[in-house]
Each structure stands twice: as structure tokens, then as C-alpha cells.
């Protein structure tokens, strides 16, 4: 049996990786097609047209993004320029998503440094994330220092003899 060179092995592995990626993208496209009607309905109800600009935190904005490239289909609604997380528009959106096909709790995670809270909903066949950001000059919400930490980070340089 003839030994295959390292170069040929590397090229064969790269080709196999491309084929796996193509197959995964095909699978993801099928998943997206399977839930397209549900996602279309949700987007039309929550964000039929974008309001404002993505990442504009000076005034209220609502922008939607759909992704299915490397994962299960997901919708992310970016809501910014809120005075608080009790804003009626946000509360209504969260209620709608939590009661869409029964009762479900959103998992949430705070990113206090940027006054952001991410709400996550898991559905059968897709995920929804609501990424909510409060205005930095909000009269109702603010960042509060709850502690501090000092971190030692080593710096290096290369020394050769």
C-alpha cells in the first residue's frame, strides 16, 4: 500500500471539512424551511418593520435578525433606548412570546456594564432572543457598583539566546 503524503492528507481533510459544512448548511436550511411559517408569523407580530436603527440607544428602536447558518434557526429582536425593563412595549413583547403556544418562562441574563438584559425563549425547532438595552441616561435604571476586583495579567516578551 502506498503511503499518502502529509500534503495530500491535509488537502483531503480540508475537502472533507467543506463537505461536512455543506451538509450542515443543507440541514440548517431544511430546519429553517420547516419553521418558516411560525417565524414569519412571530416577526410580523413583534417587528413588522424596523423602528429606528440597530445599536441606537438614544431613542427607542426595534430591529430583528434571523440566523440559521451554524445553529438551530433563531430570531433576535434588538430593543434599545428603553427607560427601563418595565417598558410597556418590552413587557408586551415578552408576554406575547411567553404565551405564544402555551406557557413558557424566559431565561434571562444581565449584562450590567452595558445596561443590557437578554431574554431567551426555547421553542420546538427554533429559539428566540430579545436583547433589551436601557438608555445610559435612564431616569429609572442605572449601573450600580457592587464590588471590584483587581486582576493580575502577566506580560511577556520573547528572549532568545
Amino acid at each position: 500500500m502506498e503511503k499518502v503524503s502529509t500534503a495530500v492528507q491535509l488537502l483531503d481533510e480540508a475537502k472533507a471539512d467543506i463537505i461536512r459544512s455543506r451538509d450542515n448548511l443543507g440541514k440548517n436550511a431544511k430546519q429553517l424551511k420547516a419553521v418558516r411559517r411560525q417565524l414569519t408569523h412571530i416577526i410580523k407580530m413583534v417587528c413588522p418593520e424596523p423602528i429606528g436603527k440597530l445599536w441606537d440607544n438614544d431613542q427607542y428602536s426595534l430591529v430583528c435578525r434571523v440566523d440559521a447558518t451554524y445553529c438551530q434557526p433563531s430570531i433576535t429582536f434588538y430593543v434599545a433606548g428603553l427607560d427601563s425593563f418595565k417598558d410597556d412595549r418590552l413587557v408586551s413583547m415578552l408576554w406575547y412570546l411567553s404565551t405564544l403556544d402555551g406557557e413558557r418562562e424566559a431565561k434571562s441574563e444581565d449584562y450590567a456594564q452595558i445596561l443590557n438584559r437578554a431574554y431567551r425563549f426555547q421553542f420546538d425547532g427554533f429559539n428566540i432572543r430579545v436583547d433589551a438595552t436601557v438608555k445610559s441616561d435612564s431616569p429609572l435604571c442605572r449601573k450600580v457598583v457592587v464590588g471590584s476586583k483587581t486582576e493580575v495579567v502577566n506580560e511577556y516578551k520573547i528572549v532568545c539566546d
Side-chain angles (χ1 to χ4, degrees):
M1 176 175 241
E2 187 177 325
K3 183 179 178 195
V4 178
S5 73
T6 301
V8 170
Q9 288 176 0
L10 291 170
L11 292 169
D12 287 346
E13 289 171 13
K15 181 181 177 184
D17 192 37
I18 289 169
I19 291 169
R20 273 192 302 278
S21 294
R22 180 197 65 203
D23 293 345
N24 283 337
L25 287 172
K27 182 181 104 183
N28 293 352
K30 287 178 186 173
Q31 286 180 330
L32 183 61
K33 185 177 180 182
V35 295
R36 182 181 177 99
R37 177 173 281 178
Q38 291 168 282
L39 298 183
T40 301
H41 175 74
I42 293 167
I43 293 167
K44 284 181 178 179
M45 293 300 291
V46 175
C47 182
E49 293 292 328
I51 300 169
K53 298 177 183 170
L54 185 60
W55 312 124
D56 180 5
N57 202 26
D58 294 331
Q59 57 186 340
Y60 178 77
S61 64
L62 173 60
V63 180
C64 178
R65 181 173 184 270
V66 178
D67 186 29
T69 308
Y70 302 106
C71 55
Q72 187 176 51
S74 65
I75 302 173
T76 302
F77 294 106
Y78 297 96
V79 187
L82 300 170
D83 282 327
S84 82
F85 296 114
K86 295 179 182 178
D87 181 284
D88 289 341
R89 295 165 292 198
L90 177 62
V91 170
S92 295
M93 180 189 311
L94 296 173
W95 176 84
Y96 171 74
L97 294 171
S98 66
T99 60
L100 194 57
D101 61 354
E103 190 72 27
R104 83 172 24 82
E105 281 292 316
K107 294 179 183 174
S108 68
E109 187 171 352
D110 285 354
Y111 301 92
Q113 189 67 24
I114 57 172
L115 292 170
N116 176 276
R117 182 173 291 159
Y119 301 89
R120 291 179 176 81
F121 297 89
Q122 177 68 47
F123 290 85
D124 186 29
F126 61 95
N127 301 307
I128 295 180
R129 175 182 163 129
V130 176
D131 197 69
T133 305
V134 172
K135 293 182 205 175
S136 58
D137 62 351
S138 167
L140 302 172
C141 294
R142 62 199 164 284
K143 290 187 278 189
V144 177
V145 177
V146 294
S148 63
K149 62 181 177 181
T150 304
E151 189 174 319
V152 175
V153 179
N154 293 326
E155 293 181 359
Y156 299 92
K157 69 177 183 176
I158 297 174
V159 176
C160 299
D161 295 327

